[in-house]
Each structure stands twice: as C-alpha cells, then as structure tokens.
Amino acid sequence: MTNLAQNNGTNNTILLQDFKEKAISAHRWTSFSPERRGETMVNEYSAQLAKDLEELRAQNIDNETLLSYEQRYKSLFSAWLNAKSNCISAMITGPARFPIHKAEKANRSEQKHYEIFQQWREKAKKAIVKKTQPEKTYNSEIERYKQELDGMRKNHELMKAGNIAIKKAHKENTDISQYLMETFDIKPHMIDWTMKFGFGLQNNNANMKRIEARIKELEAKEQNRQNEPEKEFLFNGGKVVMNYEADRIQIMHDTKPSQDVITLMKRNGFKWSPFNKAWQRQLTANAIYVTKHLLKSL
C-alpha cells in the first residue's frame, strides 16, 4: 500500500504500479500490444487517483480518510481488471469457433465493473467533502442568503448605473467600451450588443424577491424551532413529526407499511431515511398541505 505521507504534493508517483502485470493480463486477449495498453492504463488511472487525493487534501481531509479512499479505489480498479481479463476479441483468438455469447457476457460484466468503479469515485469524493462542511442551520442559511441578497442588490445598482452610462453615451456619441470591459467584464465582441440592449433588470428584481421570501421563510422556521423544536401528531398506525430542527416533516409507522402505502409515500415526495427510520421531506407549507391530505389515505 502506498504511503500517503510520502506522496504529499507528488503527482509523478505511479500509485497503481503494483497492478501493472494484472493490467497487461487484462489486455492479453483483446490487444496486439497488451504490455503497452496495460502500462498506459496504469499510468492514466494512477494520475486519476493522484488527482483525486490532491483534491481531497486541498479540502483538508485527514490522512486516515485519504488512505481509506485509496484502498477502496485500488480494490475497485482491481475488480475491473479482473472482469476485463475475461474479455476476448476474435482478432486475437481467431474467428474459428469464437464464443460470441460468452464474449458478450464478459463485455457486459467488464462495463458494469467499470461503471461501479467510476460512479463510486464521484459519489465518494462528494460524500467525503460534504462531511467536512459545517452543519447547516436556519441561522447559517439566513446569513448566507442575506449575503447573497446584498451582493445581488449591489450588482443591480451597478447595472442601473451602466444603463445610465449607455444612455448618456448614445446621447453624447461617446465611446464607453473601456468602462464596460473594466466594470462589467464585457468581452470586446459583445460591446455592440451591450450598447444596443443594455442590462436587463427584470430578472434581478424577481431573483431578489425570491431570496427575500426565502429569508422570511427561514426566519419563521427558526422562530418555530426556538419555540418548539418538534411537534407530533398521531394517526392510526403511526405519527407525524414536524421536526423544525432537521427541517423535515417525518412520518413514522408503528410497523412496516404495505407496498401500496410505500408507493403512496413516494408519489407524495417522501423519501425513506434509514438514519431517522422515517419517511420524510423538507418542511415547507406545501409539504404540510400534502401531508394533511396524505394522512386521509393512511
């Protein structure tokens, strides 16, 4: 196993060097140059793994997690090579009595192992980074939206000033290309278009109203959370929890519901949470309305 501490900042290390022979064998029956193909594969995926580890280090991920990621990456890479070694080509084996169905089955298996490998990679990186992010709260989201709204307002005023400058330039027949490029980062080939149409403000107003409404909604939820973190309502066979702390409506059944009920839950936007052992969806006014009608069917 590669020592991660030794690899810090090193992109030239062939992290998958131990798999070179297996990679060559994986191309033995599909390529006239298995050695070259195998070496290329090891180099390419070593570079991919090195890049992944570097990206995770940039997020201050601890070495134990990096080592775990590297081990799992190598395990899935190895499984893919195993599946690939079963693939054959008529160009290599010869067309006589070529097992077409067996070859197709091997190709499907190889493709499936590759997809599992790369899908895991993307999901694992996102999950690792997500764990390092500070926990979201109503207050943190309110602050984030307020900062976003402040930036939108400043940009809106800047665009209004730009429209005034464009109108004045047309009236006085002056060139404001430099102003547009420096202030708004307008590219030279877009100057004429900007001078003709200016900056649209309608979308700005709509987006600012949307953010303002979201802030009010979150402030109301924070107030509810402070007053009463949870509210429970019983129904025949379970209970509904208005979990303001988690920002979720949660439906908990006393016993596992029938498949019809599960289908009904899914159709109404609820997802099963193994951690909370509840069917839940985000706590919104629409979710409350849907839940009231859903309970009539349970």
Side-chain angles (χ1 to χ4, degrees):
M1 181 56 61
T2 306
N3 188 328
L4 289 172
Q6 294 177 351
N7 286 335
N8 261 331
T10 302
N11 293 322
N12 297 324
T13 304
I14 308 300
L15 298 175
L16 302 176
Q17 184 65 37
D18 293 343
F19 294 90
K20 183 176 180 179
E21 290 304 318
K22 179 177 281 192
I24 292 173
S25 296
H27 291 89
R28 191 76 67 187
W29 300 106
T30 57
S31 173
F32 290 109
S33 305
E35 291 81 7
R36 179 174 57 81
R37 292 288 300 278
E39 184 176 359
T40 298
M41 174 180 276
V42 166
N43 290 339
E44 287 180 354
Y45 285 90
S46 290
Q48 184 183 77
L49 176 55
K51 181 180 178 182
D52 288 352
L53 294 174
E54 196 62 31
E55 289 176 355
L56 293 173
R57 287 192 193 97
Q59 297 290 333
N60 297 317
I61 305 301
D62 62 274
N63 274 354
E64 183 178 354
T65 301
L66 292 175
L67 180 59
S68 177
Y69 179 88
E70 181 180 356
Q71 290 173 333
R72 183 61 176 156
Y73 184 103
K74 289 182 175 180
S75 175
L76 291 172
F77 180 71
S78 178
W80 175 38
L81 291 180
N82 289 338
K84 197 171 186 64
S85 66
N86 293 323
C87 296
I88 56 177
S89 169
M91 295 182 64
I92 304 300
T93 64
R97 303 181 66 179
F98 183 77
I100 296 175
H101 296 299
K102 182 180 179 181
E104 290 177 345
K105 183 178 179 181
N107 288 338
R108 288 194 298 269
S109 176
E110 184 268 338
Q111 180 64 25
K112 182 179 179 181
H113 278 80
Y114 175 77
E115 290 174 356
I116 291 173
F117 171 34
Q118 290 300 304
Q119 287 172 7
W120 164 85
R121 172 177 168 257
E122 294 301 326
K123 290 180 179 179
K125 289 195 297 179
K126 290 179 181 178
I128 290 171
V129 173
K130 186 176 180 180
K131 287 182 180 179
T132 66
Q133 303 302 314
E135 183 180 355
K136 289 183 179 179
T137 64
Y138 289 138
N139 283 329
S140 68
E141 286 295 279
I142 289 170
E143 182 60 29
R144 181 175 69 84
Y145 278 115
K146 283 184 175 179
Q147 291 178 2
E148 183 178 345
L149 181 60
D150 183 58
M152 293 171 70
R153 285 171 174 164
K154 290 179 179 178
N155 188 56
H156 183 71
E157 293 302 316
L158 189 62
M159 292 169 74
K160 286 170 64 177
N163 284 339
I164 293 173
I166 290 172
K167 186 176 181 180
K168 183 178 179 181
H170 283 307
K171 185 177 181 179
E172 299 178 355
N173 195 28
T174 56
D175 182 8
I176 59 169
S177 299
Q178 196 66 28
Y179 162 75
L180 293 174
M181 288 189 289
E182 292 179 355
T183 306
F184 301 96
D185 195 28
I186 302 296
K187 303 305 179 185
H189 68 279
M190 292 297 294
I191 293 295
D192 289 343
W193 190 95
T194 305
M195 289 297 297
K196 182 177 180 180
F197 296 102
F199 298 99
L201 303 177
Q202 188 173 358
N203 286 343
N204 289 352
N205 290 322
N207 287 332
M208 286 190 289
K209 287 180 179 179
R210 177 178 57 82
I211 297 298
E212 289 170 351
R214 180 59 176 157
I215 291 172
K216 289 180 180 179
E217 180 186 0
L218 289 170
E219 287 174 340
K221 287 183 177 182
E222 173 60 19
Q223 188 60 51
N224 286 330
R225 185 195 68 80
Q226 292 179 11
N227 295 339
E228 191 172 6
E230 290 187 2
K231 290 182 180 179
E232 294 186 3
F233 304 92
L234 298 177
F235 67 91
N236 186 21
K239 64 180 179 179
V240 176
V241 178
M242 311 288 281
N243 192 333
Y244 292 102
E245 187 73 32
D247 194 25
R248 294 291 183 272
I249 289 184
Q250 299 170 327
I251 297 180
M252 302 177 182
H253 296 88
D254 296 335
T255 59
K256 183 177 179 179
S258 66
Q259 187 58 49
D260 288 342
V261 172
I262 291 175
T263 300
L264 189 62
M265 302 293 291
K266 291 180 178 179
R267 284 179 180 172
N268 284 275
F270 285 86
K271 294 183 179 179
W272 173 250
S273 168
F275 180 79
N276 294 313
K277 300 188 184 304
W279 289 92
Q280 61 184 32
R281 60 176 289 178
Q282 189 174 16
L283 182 53
T284 64
N286 183 60
I288 295 173
Y289 174 83
V290 168
T291 302
K292 287 180 179 179
H293 286 270
L294 176 61
L295 291 178
K296 296 177 182 178
S297 304
L298 297 180

